[in-house]
Amino acid sequence: MRPSGRAADEMRHVVLEPDVSKHAEGSCLARFGDTHVLCTASIDEGVPGFMRGSGRGWVTAEYGMLPRATHTRGAREAARGRQGGRTLEIQRLIGRSLRAVTNLQGFGERSIQIDCDVIQADGGTRTAAITGAYVALYQAFDFMRIAKAIQQIPLTDSVAAVSCGLVNGEPVLDLDYEEDSSAQADANFVLTGKGQIVEVQATAESEPFDRATFDNLLTLAERGVAELTQAQHAAIQGG
Amino acid sequence: MRPSGRAADEMRHVVLEPDVSKHAEGSCLARFGDTHVLCTASIDEGVPGFMRGSGRGWVTAEYGMLPRATHTRGAREAARGRQGGRTLEIQRLIGRSLRAVTNLQGFGERSIQIDCDVIQADGGTRTAAITGAYVALYQAFDFMRIAKAIQQIPLTDSVAAVSCGLVNGEPVLDLDYEEDSSAQADANFVLTGKGQIVEVQATAESEPFDRATFDNLLTLAERGVAELTQAQHAAIQGG
Amino acid sequence: MRPSGRAADEMRHVVLEPDVSKHAEGSCLARFGDTHVLCTASIDEGVPGFMRGSGRGWVTAEYGMLPRATHTRGAREAARGRQGGRTLEIQRLIGRSLRAVTNLQGFGERSIQIDCDVIQADGGTRTAAITGAYVALYQAFDFMRIAKAIQQIPLTDSVAAVSCGLVNGEPVLDLDYEEDSSAQADANFVLTGKGQIVEVQATAESEPFDRATFDNLLTLAERGVAELTQAQHAAIQGG
Amino acid sequence: MRPSGRAADEMRHVVLEPDVSKHAEGSCLARFGDTHVLCTASIDEGVPGFMRGSGRGWVTAEYGMLPRATHTRGAREAARGRQGGRTLEIQRLIGRSLRAVTNLQGFGERSIQIDCDVIQADGGTRTAAITGAYVALYQAFDFMRIAKAIQQIPLTDSVAAVSCGLVNGEPVLDLDYEEDSSAQADANFVLTGKGQIVEVQATAESEPFDRATFDNLLTLAERGVAELTQAQHAAIQGG
Amino acid sequence: MRPSGRAADEMRHVVLEPDVSKHAEGSCLARFGDTHVLCTASIDEGVPGFMRGSGRGWVTAEYGMLPRATHTRGAREAARGRQGGRTLEIQRLIGRSLRAVTNLQGFGERSIQIDCDVIQADGGTRTAAITGAYVALYQAFDFMRIAKAIQQIPLTDSVAAVSCGLVNGEPVLDLDYEEDSSAQADANFVLTGKGQIVEVQATAESEPFDRATFDNLLTLAERGVAELTQAQHAAIQGG
Amino acid sequence: MRPSGRAADEMRHVVLEPDVSKHAEGSCLARFGDTHVLCTASIDEGVPGFMRGSGRGWVTAEYGMLPRATHTRGAREAARGRQGGRTLEIQRLIGRSLRAVTNLQGFGERSIQIDCDVIQADGGTRTAAITGAYVALYQAFDFMRIAKAIQQIPLTDSVAAVSCGLVNGEPVLDLDYEEDSSAQADANFVLTGKGQIVEVQATAESEPFDRATFDNLLTLAERGVAELTQAQHAAIQGG
């Protein structure tokens, strides 16, 4: 029995609320239970120097967490004067995940900057961030389409992410903070709407695990992402 | 006529929503129209080194703004590697304002860390931050009182803030972004519930102004803070 | 009775010594009693990127304090690797104050960099800095006028600053360090030669104060700035 | 046919040279073809603050690359003033991988600092680093055993790593730089000597891939790590 | 003929003005012609961590230059966020030079922090800094002696410094900025009052030079330091 | 008798191994006994901004030390976020030394970046670095000559460096770490193949020394550099 009372293959209550920002071209507040991540997409004319003249656009991401998003307050990264390794790792992951489903040739030499800021954390912030960021990115492209800057939305598939882990020896889907803290293994899967793999990050927390366990985690993730894909579809339709 | 259709002495719609954070001991989402600031108060045992053994507590504040809180995206301070002068100035102001109404002898050698994070900006973020931070601080003290850590809430008065400015030659209350951008003078007033002055910051944006103008701005501020004080009282009662 | 024996409305001995730097286009050593601030103005062809092509010039300021300018040595900001919040706040104030009396259209796309460095501190360093910086700025413009780069000096008024405070319950003018340390309220006023307000920063140090007190402080400031304006006039005439 | 002429499941020539440092308690120069990584293990009495009094030791790692280890010179991280996201990500991975096979209770409150410095790079630097770091760590524990600081070596298994990828549509083992640059998918597997999974990092570079492809990559990795495990065993025996 | 009209072995006009700071325990304004360096010595109880319990004191130095001390304005190191290599090199030199004539056993576990700040530069700032810093250090020890913290001044000799160089093929003493800019070789000599060598830094600017040239430069330096030693003696006597 | 059994004027075993890097245009592993420094030279089209249009090239250097190159591990400069004063001082010295024998007019507007990384340290790392860097620089120029980018190698002489010191009252050549730690004086000499002086850095470690001692150290250095010059010649011939 999981602390939250959920079944092993049951996601938390997921809400993807699009269009929450007055200013951003695309935005989504992604809630996986008590984990709340605000995702915005900002369009900028021009690309970084190394891409100029290529005719291609760029999608990149930054990630942050409010200091008291967590159980105990964490230091503010701006005050410490640098982003930690975990932050850099997550924002690189978000950027790669979105670019894997984006046709960079399809929107000219423009940059889309994704910002994922964790307003409240209860485990799985990076997976909520990727899932919400996709909705914000879609919205930003839709903004460009409506403004006639592009003819069609340059996305080849949708992308979403979920965590799975081995808790008390059992594979479970979508860990909250309590489970995450005691998991023997922890894996984040980024999959497309069609079920293809974009990124896998699996880590043995306390002791190594076998290949069969890994397979079970991946199977759970496929189920979770299918549900998230539906929620993304609904958010975009209603946006 | 103001762009928003408000009268010269009319505040934006103000909502102070207490208890919005799952984790923080005190919290308040302060909305002044489209300006939304999330304020949390975190209690920490112990005080900074220079105060150890004094028997007194400490209240301090940090301020931040999400990159796309604004009309155009601003650089993330954590990524730039330092907080800008404006950020430091504002967070120092918030801390001083709260300490001016706090009895530091009244809660032992503990620290209360206030975090004010601008989720969405439309002018007046520092005044919304101070106004909401007071509610979060009150809640944190109430948390301590309920936990029997203190007997009574060590606040000598309430504190709130509002901006006033000279726009098109007219003194107006509670400037939004559009007014702020074109103001000839801009002033932030931090006042107590009893109407005393805690802090005044007045700046001639384009050209110097006379003493009578300053007096008019202060009179407007007194009216605005009276309204904010009522909203704070209601938020705390309902908290 | 004040520690220095001065009357409540009496400034310290003020000396504005122009032309003290072998290299700078404009310079002034401003002494308010034992507070000594070296102000230089450096002319640079060109303006920051965001102003290029505007036809306008720019005036900006930096502020620093020698480590042992103070009673006890402070850390060197260059060694710590960043300027503190107080430093950034003061240098922003100096820059705004000077720009408020400068016609930026009047000297082409050039930058004037003001440096205010506190050689010795005894309270009121920011007000001495602004007062001396005006003289250095005037000199730099005069240098340009003599070099035929401009026809007339693009200043619309003079600007000077003084601190006032509530010490032992009495409003007093031009606080030295000893008074500043024990003041109940502390205010810095930046006023023009014609008596207009450029900037007000008033802070309740220990407890909030009322509007009548504020009015008294402002009246004192007007008297002090009148004296400083005369000293600036004399320094420039003799320069 | 691979650029190097290797078969799809063929590792580069691997040399693990132990005991290469005059000063370090443990060391190993790991060569995977033209990728050369110098790994040292330094024993330090004491543990980081958050672990003091726990009776447990700590193993941590840092990673670096000489500026001209690569085809074109990269900026020196010390000169840039910070470690990049890739560096932080890799050093976190190395530390986690080693801790997964270390019994932290087994060597008292001591720290072992692993340094992995890439002397020359030709793809797969993180996998060579982990593989060599295990040997250096073993040596450092052996140093402690010989010095009678511990009775037995607190390692529960060996650990090694290898990269696999999809190149020209074919799954291949142990990518060199040329293959890495053109791979459709790229995965790093950290496995124990017994074949358990410690860490998986798989990334779709250009387009998402399916589950069967992932399975093929993992099978290749198992074969590669078996070979690396033998090389580690030989290096330690001869050490 | 030198640009300044001086003979090859002639120092600039040297003035060592002691006791110029209201706050510092020791101070000296050292002027070598138009090069003006303010040197202060600050006494601090306690020593850095690595010296605690040793019974020995410590002397260390920091060096800085006001941005417009030079012909063209240099960037403020505090604003750039770090001290440059030249600054670090000079302050290390000043510290070593003073420690070479200080008996660290002779004043308990106290630190003396020397600050050398260049108010105006015209070549030879590091040599003026060392020469003035010795006077400030002497004064600080004298302050301790008068306060009965020590019985005698723990200095084994005096120390002073001068630059020499090869200008237009001729060895000359005490280069000003104009000579320094065109010198073929440039050397700084730190010598004691008794004529012993503390530090030599000689550099070929444009082309290597021979041993005889070096000998000539050293002979000039001995003459210059003898003069500086007299000036130090006079400053201390009059202090 | 020296700890190593060497005669006072005897160098350690010196090996200059050229062409050790797969990627760099020039490289040399310089070994002075147990001090091993990897030197690479990287050619870059273009020069720093301040030299553009001058028709001249540039040679610059960076220096680093692996954390466990030393007896006890030192902090990684990249992780600390800045290069220390010693590092900056050494890399400035290397750059100056090489430029003193380079004809900057002779290879167009190109930059050569030297990297000297200490793989293992046992005293004299800066002198080994300079000596090896010359070989790497020569090789890089030879690479350009073979590629027909230049007609002849723009070096006016060779350059090498050695340390000398006063140990137990005796002048000795090429100090290892043990001698360096106990030396009364320590000097680094950078000399050309023809015996001219490029740079002298002499420091009294514990007490000042006389001119005759300095002369003895220089004479030893001349002998040592003659030997190093031969080794450089041999390395280049064989390269």
Side-chain angles (χ1 to χ4, degrees):
Chain A
M1 184 67 167
R2 302 173 69 176
S4 58
R6 283 186 283 151
D9 64 350
E10 188 182 344
M11 294 285 296
R12 287 177 286 183
H13 183 57
V14 170
V15 180
L16 302 178
E17 184 182 354
D19 204 19
V20 293
S21 160
K22 178 185 169 74
H23 303 305
E25 287 78 25
S27 64
C28 177
L29 178 62
R31 301 189 201 176
F32 282 29
D34 283 329
T35 290
H36 303 172
V37 184
L38 177 58
C39 307
T40 59
S42 303
I43 302 169
D44 202 15
E45 295 298 314
V47 285
F50 69 94
M51 293 186 68
R52 256 168 236 151
S54 68
R56 297 161 65 217
W58 188 238
V59 176
T60 186
E62 288 184 1
Y63 170 93
M65 195 183 270
L66 298 192
R68 194 57 197 276
T70 45
H71 284 71
T72 56
R73 186 177 182 274
R76 186 178 291 269
E77 291 190 323
R80 281 197 318 162
R82 58 173 173 178
Q83 297 177 293
R86 180 184 169 278
T87 295
L88 293 172
E89 195 173 307
I90 292 174
Q91 68 191 19
R92 285 157 54 92
L93 170 64
I94 300 169
R96 282 199 308 271
S97 298
L98 296 173
R99 288 192 298 272
V101 296
T102 305
N103 175 11
L104 298 178
Q105 273 80 15
F107 56 104
E109 289 201 4
R110 294 187 179 92
S111 298
I112 300 188
Q113 172 73 47
I114 302 294
D115 286 288
C116 297
D117 283 276
V118 180
I119 305 299
Q120 189 171 278
D122 188 38
T125 64
R126 82 186 68 186
T127 56
I130 291 167
T131 305
Y134 171 75
V135 174
L137 177 62
Y138 184 96
Q139 282 202 327
F141 282 132
D142 208 39
F143 178 97
M144 287 168 68
R145 190 185 54 76
I146 290 165
K148 311 271 189 219
I150 55 175
Q151 304 245 328
Q152 55 185 43
I153 288 176
L155 291 165
T156 57
D157 201 343
S158 65
V159 67
V162 75
S163 75
C164 302
L166 205 62
V167 181
N168 299 324
E170 286 299 311
V172 296
L173 177 64
D174 188 27
L175 282 63
D176 59 26
Y177 177 79
E178 188 176 347
E179 291 175 317
D180 198 35
S181 309
S182 64
Q184 291 94 50
D186 178 21
N188 293 290
F189 295 94
V190 185
L191 306 178
T192 65
K194 291 172 191 146
Q196 301 273 95
I197 296 173
V198 168
E199 186 104 17
V200 176
Q201 293 183 337
T203 302
E205 292 293 335
S206 54
E207 55 186 280
F209 54 92
D210 60 21
R211 188 167 177 163
T213 297
F214 180 86
D215 281 336
N216 288 336
L217 298 177
L218 176 47
T219 300
L220 282 174
E222 287 171 342
R223 181 180 302 219
V225 168
E227 185 179 329
L228 293 169
T229 300
Q230 284 191 315
Q232 288 176 324
H233 192 68
I236 286 166
Q237 296 291 87
Chain B
M1 185 65 168
R2 301 173 70 178
S4 58
R6 284 186 283 151
D9 64 351
E10 187 183 345
M11 295 285 296
R12 287 176 285 182
H13 183 55
V14 171
V15 180
L16 302 177
E17 185 182 353
D19 204 20
V20 292
S21 160
K22 176 184 170 78
H23 303 305
E25 286 77 24
S27 65
C28 177
L29 178 62
R31 302 190 201 175
F32 283 28
D34 284 328
T35 290
H36 303 171
V37 184
L38 177 59
C39 307
T40 60
S42 302
I43 302 169
D44 202 17
E45 294 298 313
V47 285
F50 70 94
M51 295 186 68
R52 258 169 234 151
S54 70
R56 296 161 64 216
W58 189 239
V59 176
T60 187
E62 287 184 1
Y63 170 92
M65 194 182 270
L66 298 193
R68 193 56 198 274
T70 43
H71 285 71
T72 56
R73 186 177 183 273
R76 186 179 290 267
E77 291 189 323
R80 279 198 319 161
R82 59 175 173 177
Q83 297 176 291
R86 180 184 169 277
T87 294
L88 293 171
E89 195 172 308
I90 292 175
Q91 68 190 20
R92 285 156 56 92
L93 170 64
I94 299 169
R96 281 198 310 271
S97 297
L98 297 173
R99 288 192 297 274
V101 297
T102 305
N103 175 12
L104 298 178
Q105 274 78 18
F107 57 105
E109 289 200 2
R110 294 186 179 91
S111 298
I112 301 189
Q113 172 74 47
I114 303 293
D115 287 288
C116 297
D117 284 276
V118 180
I119 305 298
Q120 190 170 277
D122 188 38
T125 65
R126 80 186 70 186
T127 57
I130 291 167
T131 305
Y134 171 76
V135 174
L137 177 62
Y138 185 97
Q139 281 203 326
F141 281 133
D142 207 39
F143 177 97
M144 288 167 68
R145 191 185 55 76
I146 290 165
K148 310 270 191 220
I150 56 176
Q151 304 245 328
Q152 56 185 43
I153 287 176
L155 291 166
T156 58
D157 201 342
S158 66
V159 67
V162 75
S163 74
C164 302
L166 205 61
V167 181
N168 300 324
E170 286 298 310
V172 295
L173 177 63
D174 187 26
L175 283 61
D176 58 26
Y177 177 79
E178 186 177 347
E179 291 175 317
D180 198 35
S181 310
S182 64
Q184 291 93 53
D186 177 21
N188 293 289
F189 296 93
V190 185
L191 306 178
T192 67
K194 291 173 190 146
Q196 301 272 94
I197 295 172
V198 168
E199 186 104 17
V200 176
Q201 293 182 338
T203 303
E205 293 293 337
S206 52
E207 57 187 279
F209 54 92
D210 62 20
R211 188 166 177 164
T213 296
F214 180 85
D215 282 337
N216 288 337
L217 298 178
L218 177 46
T219 300
L220 282 175
E222 287 171 342
R223 180 180 303 219
V225 167
E227 185 179 329
L228 293 170
T229 300
Q230 283 191 314
Q232 289 176 322
H233 192 69
I236 287 166
Q237 294 291 88
Chain C
M1 186 67 169
R2 303 172 69 175
S4 57
R6 283 186 283 151
D9 64 351
E10 188 182 345
M11 295 285 296
R12 288 177 284 184
H13 183 56
V14 170
V15 180
L16 302 178
E17 184 182 352
D19 204 19
V20 293
S21 161
K22 178 185 170 76
H23 303 306
E25 286 78 23
S27 65
C28 177
L29 178 61
R31 302 189 201 178
F32 282 28
D34 284 328
T35 291
H36 303 173
V37 184
L38 178 58
C39 307
T40 59
S42 302
I43 303 169
D44 201 16
E45 294 299 314
V47 286
F50 69 94
M51 293 186 69
R52 254 169 238 152
S54 68
R56 297 161 64 215
W58 189 240
V59 176
T60 187
E62 288 184 1
Y63 170 92
M65 195 182 271
L66 297 193
R68 193 57 197 275
T70 45
H71 285 70
T72 56
R73 186 177 182 273
R76 186 179 290 268
E77 291 190 322
R80 281 199 317 162
R82 59 174 172 177
Q83 296 177 293
R86 180 184 169 277
T87 294
L88 293 172
E89 196 173 306
I90 292 175
Q91 68 190 20
R92 284 156 55 93
L93 170 64
I94 300 169
R96 282 199 308 271
S97 298
L98 296 174
R99 288 193 297 272
V101 296
T102 304
N103 175 11
L104 298 178
Q105 274 78 18
F107 55 106
E109 290 201 2
R110 296 188 178 91
S111 298
I112 300 188
Q113 172 74 45
I114 303 293
D115 287 287
C116 297
D117 283 276
V118 180
I119 305 298
Q120 190 171 277
D122 188 39
T125 64
R126 81 185 70 186
T127 57
I130 291 168
T131 305
Y134 171 76
V135 174
L137 177 62
Y138 185 96
Q139 283 201 326
F141 281 133
D142 208 39
F143 178 96
M144 287 168 67
R145 190 186 54 76
I146 290 165
K148 311 270 191 221
I150 55 177
Q151 305 245 329
Q152 56 185 43
I153 288 176
L155 291 165
T156 58
D157 201 343
S158 65
V159 67
V162 75
S163 74
C164 302
L166 205 62
V167 181
N168 300 325
E170 287 298 312
V172 295
L173 177 63
D174 187 27
L175 283 62
D176 59 26
Y177 177 79
E178 186 176 348
E179 291 175 318
D180 197 35
S181 309
S182 65
Q184 291 93 54
D186 178 22
N188 293 290
F189 295 94
V190 185
L191 306 178
T192 66
K194 291 174 190 145
Q196 300 274 93
I197 296 172
V198 168
E199 185 106 16
V200 176
Q201 294 183 335
T203 303
E205 293 293 336
S206 54
E207 56 186 280
F209 55 92
D210 61 20
R211 187 166 176 163
T213 297
F214 180 85
D215 281 337
N216 288 336
L217 298 178
L218 176 47
T219 300
L220 281 174
E222 287 171 342
R223 180 179 302 218
V225 167
E227 186 179 328
L228 292 170
T229 300
Q230 283 191 314
Q232 288 176 324
H233 192 68
I236 286 166
Q237 295 292 89
Chain D
M1 187 65 170
R2 302 173 69 178
S4 58
R6 284 186 282 150
D9 64 351
E10 186 182 345
M11 295 285 296
R12 287 177 284 182
H13 183 55
V14 171
V15 180
L16 301 180
E17 184 181 355
D19 204 19
V20 293
S21 159
K22 176 185 170 77
H23 303 306
E25 287 77 24
S27 64
C28 177
L29 178 61
R31 301 189 200 174
F32 282 28
D34 283 328
T35 290
H36 303 173
V37 184
L38 177 58
C39 307
T40 59
S42 302
I43 302 169
D44 202 16
E45 295 298 314
V47 287
F50 69 95
M51 294 186 69
R52 255 168 236 152
S54 69
R56 296 161 64 216
W58 189 238
V59 176
T60 187
E62 288 183 2
Y63 169 92
M65 195 182 270
L66 298 193
R68 193 57 199 275
T70 42
H71 285 71
T72 56
R73 186 177 181 272
R76 186 178 290 268
E77 291 189 324
R80 281 197 319 161
R82 58 174 175 179
Q83 296 177 293
R86 181 184 169 277
T87 294
L88 294 171
E89 196 173 307
I90 292 175
Q91 68 189 20
R92 284 156 56 92
L93 170 64
I94 299 169
R96 282 198 309 271
S97 297
L98 296 173
R99 288 193 297 273
V101 296
T102 304
N103 174 12
L104 298 177
Q105 273 81 15
F107 56 106
E109 289 201 3
R110 294 187 179 92
S111 299
I112 300 188
Q113 172 73 47
I114 303 294
D115 286 289
C116 298
D117 284 277
V118 180
I119 305 298
Q120 190 171 278
D122 188 39
T125 65
R126 81 185 69 187
T127 57
I130 290 168
T131 304
Y134 171 75
V135 174
L137 177 62
Y138 185 96
Q139 282 202 327
F141 281 133
D142 207 40
F143 178 96
M144 287 168 68
R145 191 184 55 75
I146 290 165
K148 311 271 190 219
I150 55 176
Q151 303 245 328
Q152 56 184 42
I153 288 176
L155 290 166
T156 57
D157 201 344
S158 64
V159 66
V162 75
S163 74
C164 303
L166 206 61
V167 180
N168 299 326
E170 287 297 312
V172 294
L173 177 64
D174 188 28
L175 282 62
D176 58 26
Y177 177 79
E178 186 176 348
E179 290 174 317
D180 198 35
S181 310
S182 64
Q184 290 93 55
D186 176 22
N188 293 289
F189 294 94
V190 185
L191 306 179
T192 66
K194 292 173 192 145
Q196 301 273 94
I197 295 172
V198 168
E199 186 103 19
V200 176
Q201 293 182 336
T203 303
E205 292 293 336
S206 53
E207 56 186 278
F209 54 92
D210 60 22
R211 188 166 177 163
T213 297
F214 179 85
D215 281 336
N216 288 337
L217 298 178
L218 177 46
T219 300
L220 282 174
E222 287 171 341
R223 180 180 302 219
V225 167
E227 185 179 329
L228 293 170
T229 300
Q230 283 191 314
Q232 288 176 323
H233 192 68
I236 286 166
Q237 294 291 88
Chain E
M1 187 67 169
R2 301 173 69 176
S4 58
R6 285 186 282 150
D9 64 352
E10 187 183 345
M11 296 285 297
R12 287 177 285 183
H13 183 56
V14 170
V15 180
L16 302 178
E17 185 182 353
D19 205 21
V20 292
S21 160
K22 177 185 170 77
H23 303 306
E25 287 77 24
S27 64
C28 177
L29 178 61
R31 301 190 202 175
F32 284 27
D34 283 329
T35 290
H36 303 172
V37 184
L38 178 58
C39 307
T40 59
S42 302
I43 302 170
D44 202 17
E45 294 298 314
V47 285
F50 69 94
M51 294 187 69
R52 257 170 234 150
S54 69
R56 298 161 62 217
W58 189 239
V59 177
T60 186
E62 287 183 3
Y63 169 92
M65 195 183 270
L66 298 193
R68 194 56 198 275
T70 43
H71 284 71
T72 57
R73 187 177 181 272
R76 187 178 289 268
E77 290 190 323
R80 280 198 317 162
R82 59 174 173 177
Q83 296 176 291
R86 181 184 168 277
T87 295
L88 293 171
E89 196 173 306
I90 292 175
Q91 67 190 19
R92 284 157 55 93
L93 170 64
I94 299 169
R96 282 198 310 269
S97 297
L98 296 173
R99 288 192 298 273
V101 296
T102 305
N103 175 11
L104 297 178
Q105 272 80 16
F107 57 105
E109 289 200 2
R110 294 186 179 92
S111 298
I112 300 189
Q113 172 74 46
I114 303 294
D115 286 289
C116 297
D117 283 276
V118 180
I119 305 299
Q120 190 171 279
D122 188 38
T125 65
R126 80 185 69 187
T127 57
I130 291 168
T131 304
Y134 171 76
V135 174
L137 177 62
Y138 185 97
Q139 282 202 325
F141 281 133
D142 207 40
F143 177 96
M144 288 168 68
R145 191 186 53 75
I146 290 164
K148 310 269 190 223
I150 56 175
Q151 304 245 328
Q152 55 185 43
I153 288 175
L155 290 166
T156 57
D157 201 345
S158 64
V159 66
V162 74
S163 74
C164 302
L166 204 62
V167 181
N168 299 325
E170 286 298 311
V172 295
L173 177 63
D174 188 28
L175 282 62
D176 59 25
Y177 177 79
E178 187 177 348
E179 291 174 317
D180 198 36
S181 310
S182 64
Q184 290 94 55
D186 177 22
N188 293 290
F189 295 93
V190 185
L191 306 178
T192 66
K194 291 173 192 147
Q196 300 273 94
I197 295 172
V198 168
E199 186 104 16
V200 176
Q201 293 183 338
T203 302
E205 293 293 337
S206 53
E207 56 186 279
F209 54 92
D210 61 22
R211 188 169 178 162
T213 296
F214 180 84
D215 281 337
N216 288 337
L217 298 179
L218 176 46
T219 300
L220 281 175
E222 286 171 341
R223 180 180 302 219
V225 167
E227 185 178 329
L228 293 170
T229 300
Q230 283 192 314
Q232 289 176 322
H233 192 68
I236 287 165
Q237 294 291 89
Chain F
M1 185 66 170
R2 303 173 68 175
S4 58
R6 282 187 284 151
D9 63 351
E10 187 182 346
M11 295 285 297
R12 287 177 285 182
H13 183 56
V14 171
V15 180
L16 302 179
E17 185 181 352
D19 205 19
V20 293
S21 160
K22 177 184 170 75
H23 302 306
E25 287 77 24
S27 64
C28 177
L29 178 61
R31 300 188 201 178
F32 283 27
D34 283 329
T35 290
H36 304 172
V37 184
L38 178 58
C39 307
T40 59
S42 302
I43 302 169
D44 201 16
E45 295 298 313
V47 286
F50 69 94
M51 293 186 69
R52 254 168 237 150
S54 70
R56 296 162 63 215
W58 189 239
V59 176
T60 187
E62 288 184 2
Y63 169 93
M65 196 183 269
L66 297 193
R68 194 56 198 277
T70 44
H71 284 71
T72 56
R73 186 178 182 273
R76 186 178 290 268
E77 291 190 322
R80 281 198 318 163
R82 59 174 173 178
Q83 297 176 292
R86 180 184 168 278
T87 295
L88 293 172
E89 196 173 306
I90 292 175
Q91 69 191 19
R92 285 156 54 91
L93 170 64
I94 300 169
R96 282 199 308 270
S97 297
L98 296 174
R99 287 193 298 272
V101 296
T102 305
N103 175 12
L104 298 177
Q105 273 80 16
F107 56 105
E109 289 201 4
R110 295 187 178 91
S111 299
I112 300 189
Q113 172 73 47
I114 303 294
D115 286 288
C116 298
D117 283 276
V118 180
I119 304 299
Q120 189 170 278
D122 188 38
T125 65
R126 83 186 68 187
T127 56
I130 291 168
T131 304
Y134 171 75
V135 174
L137 177 62
Y138 185 96
Q139 282 201 327
F141 281 133
D142 207 39
F143 178 96
M144 288 168 67
R145 190 184 56 75
I146 290 165
K148 311 269 190 221
I150 56 174
Q151 305 245 328
Q152 55 185 43
I153 288 176
L155 291 165
T156 57
D157 201 344
S158 65
V159 66
V162 74
S163 75
C164 303
L166 204 61
V167 180
N168 300 324
E170 287 297 311
V172 294
L173 177 64
D174 187 27
L175 282 63
D176 59 26
Y177 177 78
E178 186 176 348
E179 290 174 318
D180 197 36
S181 309
S182 65
Q184 291 93 53
D186 177 22
N188 292 289
F189 295 93
V190 184
L191 306 179
T192 65
K194 290 175 191 146
Q196 300 273 94
I197 296 172
V198 168
E199 186 104 17
V200 176
Q201 293 183 336
T203 303
E205 292 294 336
S206 53
E207 56 186 279
F209 54 91
D210 60 20
R211 188 169 177 163
T213 297
F214 180 85
D215 282 337
N216 288 336
L217 298 178
L218 177 46
T219 299
L220 282 174
E222 288 171 341
R223 181 180 301 219
V225 167
E227 185 178 329
L228 293 170
T229 300
Q230 283 191 314
Q232 289 176 323
H233 192 68
I236 286 166
Q237 295 291 87

